[in-house]
Every structure is written in structure tokens, then in C-alpha cells.
Amino acid sequence: MSLIYERSIPGRRGHAIPDCDVQSGVDFPRQFRRAVAPALPEVSELDVVRHFSNLSRRNFSVDTNFYPLGSCTMKYNTKIAEKIAQLDGFVHIHPLLPQLLGGGMLAQGAMEVLYRAEKFLCEITGMRSFTMQPLAGAHGELTGVMLIAAYHKRKGEKRKYILVPDSSHGTNPASAAIAGYEVLVIPSGSAGCMDLATLKKHLTPDVAAVMMTCPNTLGLFNSQIGEICRAAHAVDALMYYDGANLNAIMGKARPGDIGFDVMHVNLHKTFATPHGGGGPGAGPVGVTEKLADFLPIPRVAKRSDGSFALHYQEPLSIGFVAPFYGNFNVILKSFVYMVLLGKSGLQQVSEYAVLNANYCMELLKQWYDMAFDRRCMHEFVVSAEKQKAAGVSALDIAKYLIDQGIHPPTVYFPLIVKEALMIEPTETESPEVIDRFVAVMGEIAELVKSDPQKLRDAPVTMPVKRLDEAKAARDLKLRWQPAGEKQN
């Protein structure tokens, strides 16, 4: 046992329990006291540290590996934001303080962060107002569609459809369906963007909204987006902007100026806070003037004396969509990021993200087919269809990248591209890192010809062998089976 446990510890395993809690001095009734301490496991501090340190080394993360995960914008998270998020004034406040004590006077700093973060997002996106409550991008989408429904309901209309492109994120149709709409999918044209003629055929007075990502999931900016917005507005359909790809145009173009009416922003993507593994995230939703009255409550308002308070008196509001005021810690880190970079810095983020993506794409053309061979924005999609014809799939390529210390790109998405590899270097990666990634992708292309089995066997550096994903999905076993027990 470690020396840390060799001290005299009252109530340690097998020791008599004292008459009162030695730390709090509470005298518990004798009939509720144990005769001896519970037989809890004991490990040394060193064992605990080694256990979690070794676990951390088995993880892929932006801090340790290149992470070209298309559409997820997994970029470096600046450590100054982590430092500020650990300040006592932010860490030790209770989320109920603004409601319960002194009109929120004990949480003025936190409420000012929420207020100023909203104003920054309005300036960046061209929206009139934001709610900071939604807890993720998909949650923001659902909130946005609920705002769209409230808008049409207020006008006495019950519209039936929401239109999405065939390249959309899967959360777009899912959010629309959860909110009670039927989804119509519009195909992409030859340029990789939603076909305008087909869209116009489906734009009837029964359409509530059009949901789009701009640039889209192929990394392509739709040059007809202005005409699409005008066509939707002609039938009083609203335009929804999926903000997952905002990193490509931040500081360069504002969705509100383009013609979008409502949007969500993935703070954990565009504004550099850690995400993955299920959270945490934040998906604030911004709206133009005609939707502002429907935003969720409460909202942070600035009073005449310069202080901040929560505002609930909004009769047209859709109500609450999350506990308290959103994932405050994520909002705080994103606020630090915006303050740190400022206007010119945020513009440079987009410039470098687009530059890195196009640089990487041009180098990969010698081995892989481009889904759409044209100038991309912050991400691009290659097809491994010719590698598949030689017996190596996009999944094989992804698994081999793991052996090389590179997180795989997004695979098999968008669904409209066969054997898709969706690559997003982000602005934070250096040319040297991108060059190494390209070199490994070139090595893979040569192995397809010389030793394809090496790719099909990957990864070989992981603690367990490669799993058969198809068998796991089709022959799912949810029951734990002790070693040696016969399989049913």
C-alpha cells in the first residue's frame, strides 16, 4: 500500500467507526452507525494517476493528433479560454443565483458574458437576436424549427413541408420531423449544389421552410443562394441556416445579409471549445426581426443602470427549451475566443481554413477522385471509388490512418458520394501537418496496388482486432456473457 494510506485513518476498512464524523462533528444516532467501515476498494494515488494517464494516451484528440473530421470542425482549443473558464467567479456560481438573489446582482459577470456573447453573434451572423439556451447543434435546429412553426401558427397557417437538399446533415430532416413536418428532399445538380429548378417546383404555400448549409457538406458555396432565398420568401417560407459550416465564411459573409431568417451556431465547432464524446456543446439560435418575439425565455436584458437581469415577459415566446441559460461554460469559452481574435482574427480563421482545405485538395488529386473538382471552401470530399474497385474501401483507408496516428476523416458522408472521405483540415493545422497527411494518403494509394491486404487488416496498433461492423449491427448481442458460457 502507498504511504499515503499508511497514516491513521479513523474508520478505515476493518477499523471501528468513531462516535461522530471527525470532519463535520455531526453526532449521528447510534442505531444508524456501522460497527466497522464498509469494505471499499483502496488504491494508491500513483495507481490512480497511472490508470487515467494511460487511458488518456489511448485517446485521439486535437491536442495529440491531426483530426481532419469533415463537417465537425475539430480545431485546436486555445488554453486561455480553459484558464478563464476556471476562474472562481465562473466556476463557483450556482445557476439559480440570477433568479433568487438580489435581482441577479451576484451573477452579473456571468449574465454580462451571455449578453455580450449574444451581441457578438448578432454582429457576426447578421441576425437580430439570439437565444443562448440550446445545448447542441441538433437542439438548436429543433428550436429553430419550433420558431418557424410558431411564426406560421401566429399567422393562422399550418404548413406541412420542410425542404432539405440531399447533401444535408442528417439532423436537418430529423429536426423537421420531430417538430411535426414532412420532409421533401431536393436533389443536387451537376455543380454539387441544390438544384434550383427542382426546388422552385416544390415551393408551394404548404412549405414552411428550406433548411440549408452554406457552404454545403461538399464544401461548396451555392452561388444561387440569393435567388433561393427570394424564391422561398415569395411563398412566405422561411430560410433556415445550418451553422455547422460557419467556419468557412465567418467574417466574410453573414447569413442574415444573404437572406436567411433563422440559424443555429455550433459554438463548440466554429468558436473552438472542446467537443466530442457526446458533449458538451452549445447551439445558440439567431433570428431576424420577424421571429424575435418567439425566442425562448428567459433572455438576458440590459437595464437602464447598466446592470443585467433575466427577462421573462414575452407572450409569444415558445417557452423554455433547456434548463437555466444554456451550457454556460461552452458559451464562456467561445466568448473568450471571440474577444481574443476580434474582427480581423475571425476573418483570418475563415481565410486559413479555406486555404488549408484547397491546398490539401489539390495535393490529393493525383491519387483520389474529387467528388466535385472545383474550388472548395473549408472542406472537401474525395471518392475512393477507384480504390474500392481494387478491393480497398473508404473504411479500410480510414482504419489505416489510425495506425499512422491520424484520426480518420468523416467516411460515407454525404450519402450522394460513393466511398466518400470528407476532409476538413481547419485553420489551425500547419502546412507540415497537412503535408504528412497527404504523404500517408499517397502511401495508401500505393498500398492499394502493392499490398491491399495490409489496408484491409488495419488497424493493427489498437488493443483489439478490427471488428466486423456489419456483423455487429446484424447480430447484435446486448447480454453480457461470462467467459466459457455457451452462446445461445
Side-chain angles (χ1 to χ4, degrees):
M1 179 174 288
S2 168
L3 290 177
I4 194 171
Y5 284 93
E6 290 300 315
R7 300 172 297 173
S8 174
I9 303 177
R12 220 182 73 196
R13 184 191 304 186
H15 288 237
I17 298 290
D19 284 342
C20 66
D21 187 309
V22 294
Q23 292 183 339
S24 65
V26 176
D27 187 9
F28 293 105
R30 186 169 296 278
Q31 65 267 33
F32 299 125
R33 300 179 199 162
R34 290 177 176 269
V36 295
L40 300 176
E42 295 179 6
V43 293
S44 71
E45 179 179 310
L46 179 57
D47 289 338
V48 172
V49 169
R50 282 178 176 167
H51 171 74
F52 286 104
S53 295
N54 287 327
L55 277 182
S56 71
R57 293 191 186 109
R58 293 171 63 179
N59 287 338
F60 273 81
S61 72
V62 175
D63 284 359
T64 58
N65 303 86
F66 180 42
Y67 222 110
L69 196 61
S71 214
C72 279
T73 314
M74 298 285 285
K75 58 189 183 181
Y76 175 71
N77 312 129
T78 175
K79 296 303 177 278
I80 187 173
E82 301 295 317
K83 187 72 173 178
I84 291 177
Q86 294 171 19
L87 294 176
D88 287 347
F90 294 125
V91 172
H92 293 149
I93 57 173
H94 192 282
L96 285 176
L97 280 179
Q99 293 177 322
L100 298 180
L101 299 175
M105 295 309 294
L106 295 182
Q108 284 293 295
M111 286 200 288
E112 183 173 358
V113 167
L114 292 170
Y115 180 85
R116 293 183 63 190
E118 177 185 350
K119 297 305 179 186
F120 282 0
L121 291 177
C122 287
E123 177 61 28
I124 292 167
T125 65
M127 292 289 149
R128 168 65 175 78
S129 305
F130 266 83
T131 174
M132 307 302 289
Q133 289 187 37
L135 305 176
H139 191 204
E141 282 181 16
L142 178 59
T143 301
V145 177
M146 291 167 64
L147 293 169
I148 290 168
Y151 169 80
H152 290 299
K153 183 179 179 180
R154 177 67 174 171
K155 299 184 72 174
E157 299 175 350
K158 183 174 175 57
R159 299 201 172 197
K160 188 176 181 180
Y161 301 108
I162 283 184
L163 309 184
V164 301
D166 58 2
S167 62
S168 70
H169 293 114
T171 52
N172 289 183
S175 298
I178 290 173
Y181 288 101
E182 293 184 32
V183 178
L184 298 179
V185 179
I186 309 299
S188 297
S190 58
C193 296
M194 187 166 64
D195 185 72
L196 181 59
T198 307
L199 172 71
K200 287 183 175 180
K201 289 180 182 178
H202 287 84
L203 276 174
T204 69
D206 280 333
V207 173
V210 179
M211 298 182 76
M212 295 183 64
T213 306
C214 187
N216 66 14
T217 57
L218 294 161
L220 305 175
F221 189 88
N222 192 330
S223 61
Q224 296 178 312
I225 188 62
E227 189 172 352
I228 290 172
C229 291
R230 288 190 293 272
H233 291 154
V235 296
D236 200 26
L238 299 180
M239 290 296 300
Y240 184 97
Y241 183 90
D242 177 344
N245 293 347
L246 183 63
N247 209 53
I249 63 171
M250 181 169 56
K252 297 294 184 176
R254 306 196 309 173
D257 297 339
I258 292 172
F260 287 94
D261 303 291
V262 55
M263 67 175 293
H264 80 269
V265 178
N266 298 78
L267 294 185
H268 49 285
K269 294 182 181 183
T270 307
F271 296 99
T273 70
H275 71 291
V285 172
V287 296
T288 54
E289 183 71 37
K290 60 185 173 185
L291 291 174
D293 290 340
F294 303 107
L295 284 173
I297 54 172
R299 298 184 58 204
V300 177
K302 190 173 184 179
R303 295 184 287 205
S304 58
D305 64 356
S307 63
F308 300 90
L310 295 177
H311 182 67
Y312 291 86
Q313 289 70 42
E314 294 291 343
L316 298 181
S317 170
I318 63 172
F320 296 87
V321 298
F324 308 115
Y325 328 106
N327 272 337
F328 176 72
N329 189 266
V330 177
I331 297 169
L332 172 60
K333 293 175 186 177
S334 298
F335 175 71
V336 173
Y337 182 80
M338 289 184 272
V339 171
L340 180 69
L341 292 182
K343 179 180 179 180
S344 61
L346 294 176
Q347 289 173 335
Q348 285 183 316
V349 164
S350 297
E351 292 169 354
Y352 294 158
V354 172
L355 177 63
N356 277 352
N358 280 278
Y359 173 72
C360 186
M361 181 180 70
E362 287 298 321
L363 293 176
L364 290 178
K365 283 182 181 179
Q366 56 189 307
W367 301 297
Y368 299 90
D369 293 331
M370 296 296 112
F372 292 91
D373 192 2
R374 49 177 280 203
R375 185 70 56 83
C376 71
M377 297 295 286
H378 66 308
E379 63 189 5
F380 61 97
V381 178
V382 304
S383 171
E385 194 169 5
K386 66 182 178 184
Q387 284 78 18
K388 177 67 172 179
V392 174
S393 67
L395 184 63
D396 297 328
I397 294 171
K399 297 296 185 182
Y400 186 79
L401 286 170
I402 295 174
D403 283 336
Q404 303 306 310
I406 297 171
H407 193 285
T410 300
V411 295
Y412 300 120
F413 181 79
L415 300 176
I416 60 175
V417 178
K418 294 180 179 180
E419 296 298 316
L421 290 158
M422 187 182 189
I423 299 167
E424 181 180 359
T426 79
E427 75 282 356
T428 48
E429 299 297 344
S430 67
E432 291 79 12
V433 170
I434 297 175
D435 285 344
R436 179 176 180 271
F437 169 68
V438 169
V440 173
M441 291 294 285
E443 176 186 324
I444 291 171
E446 294 304 316
L447 284 173
V448 171
K449 303 172 185 176
S450 62
D451 191 4
Q453 191 59 42
K454 188 172 184 179
L455 298 170
R456 291 192 286 266
D457 290 340
V460 297
T461 57
M462 295 291 103
V464 294
K465 291 172 61 178
R466 180 170 172 179
L467 301 176
D468 185 335
E469 292 90 351
K471 178 175 173 55
R474 293 172 180 171
D475 190 21
L476 188 62
K477 296 290 190 298
L478 296 178
R479 177 176 170 270
W480 175 74
Q481 180 178 317
E485 182 179 308
K486 187 177 179 179
Q487 182 103 357
N488 292 330

